[in-house]
Amino acid sequence: MTAVLFDFSGTLFRVESTESWLRAVLTETGHRLPGPELTRLARALEEAGALPGGTAPKEVPADLAGLWAVRDESARQHRAAYTGLSRRVPLPDPALHDALYERHMTPAAWTPYPDAPEVLRTLRERGIGVGVVSNIGWDPRPVFRAHGLDRYVDTYVLSYEHGVQKPDPRLFAVACEALGADPRRVVMVGDSRAADGGAAALGCRVHFVDHLPVNRRPDALLPVLDLVV
């Protein structure tokens, strides 16, 4: 194998919990809520699927279904879809919905999985090209920089920058071309069989990991190193 492609959310990084997300925004905006009320609102936001990279919606409202299906094809659609879900939950101040969306794009909202630095560093040492291929509506490069991992990534292929979302094989093809790699000698690593499995159409090998909290997934990326020996 000459290159490895990684998904971002749920693969290399995990977003904070919904309660942490809400608490941080309330603190930043000077809002105070009793503990039980904060917990109730966080649970409602989680059920709504309002946190990008967090729990999927239990049910997508009919009026958002069309937008939800193409949410990762542009920054505008991504914001509209997620703030649309957030607004299903009444908050103390309507401005909090946009503040929540802004918060999730900050490096503070994301934590790399424990083995991500080691795996990325080792791939670089072995001369293996690394790309990030993500269905997303914003630029995660600052997250990688803040956590010191950008030095190991050779290319980013982001759905909103191309107007195409996984599993469309065109995204994976762009990444392989950027790395100068034959897709048949590339591994795609991701947490979504539906989305990341699209790389198989090009002949890529696909390796799946579980989208779990950071403290429950310490070493799921390490087997990737055995695939590129």
Side-chain angles (χ1 to χ4, degrees):
M1 296 296 174
T2 60
V4 181
L5 307 178
F6 290 94
D7 176 49
F8 167 58
S9 173
T11 299
L12 289 175
F13 284 82
R14 171 78 183 209
V15 75
E16 64 188 329
S17 70
T18 309
E19 186 164 331
S20 170
W21 178 54
L22 177 59
R23 181 181 290 107
V25 169
L26 291 172
T27 299
E28 290 165 4
T29 57
H31 290 82
R32 293 187 178 183
L33 291 178
E37 178 65 3
L38 189 151
T39 299
R40 183 189 70 80
L41 289 175
R43 186 178 300 116
L45 287 166
E46 184 163 332
E47 290 179 359
L51 172 58
T55 304
K58 283 196 171 182
E59 182 179 355
V60 178
D63 62 320
L64 288 177
L67 178 62
W68 181 255
V70 295
R71 65 193 180 279
D72 295 314
E73 293 182 3
S74 78
R76 178 188 60 80
Q77 290 165 194
H78 192 269
R79 178 184 286 270
Y82 280 101
T83 56
L85 292 174
S86 173
R87 289 188 172 93
R88 303 286 160 162
V89 180
L91 296 177
D93 180 349
L96 288 171
H97 298 288
D98 282 314
L100 285 168
Y101 187 83
E102 293 294 330
R103 163 73 186 184
H104 103 274
M105 295 188 288
T106 65
W110 296 88
T111 302
Y113 281 94
D115 52 347
E118 177 184 351
V119 169
L120 293 175
R121 182 177 62 252
T122 302
L123 291 173
R124 172 54 56 88
E125 291 170 351
R126 293 181 182 177
I128 303 296
V130 170
V132 171
V133 183
S134 178
N135 278 352
I136 198 166
W138 53 279
D139 186 1
R141 294 174 181 90
V143 175
F144 282 82
R145 284 196 295 270
H147 291 278
L149 299 183
D150 59 309
R151 72 190 78 175
Y152 305 124
V153 180
D154 300 296
T155 190
Y156 295 84
V157 180
L158 311 175
S159 60
Y160 84 101
E161 293 183 338
H162 295 271
V164 174
Q165 58 188 31
K166 298 182 291 186
D168 193 312
R170 286 178 289 176
L171 274 187
F172 307 106
V174 169
C176 291
E177 183 176 357
L179 294 169
D182 182 334
R184 294 169 296 182
R185 300 187 66 192
V186 172
V187 180
M188 173 66 207
V189 184
D191 65 299
S192 170
R193 282 165 172 74
D196 301 309
L202 293 180
C204 298
R205 182 168 182 171
V206 185
H207 177 78
F208 295 108
V209 294
D210 293 324
H211 189 155
L212 295 171
V214 167
N215 62 358
R216 291 178 53 199
R217 215 198 73 189
D219 54 11
L221 294 171
L222 291 177
V224 173
L225 298 177
D226 295 328
L227 301 178
V228 295
V229 172

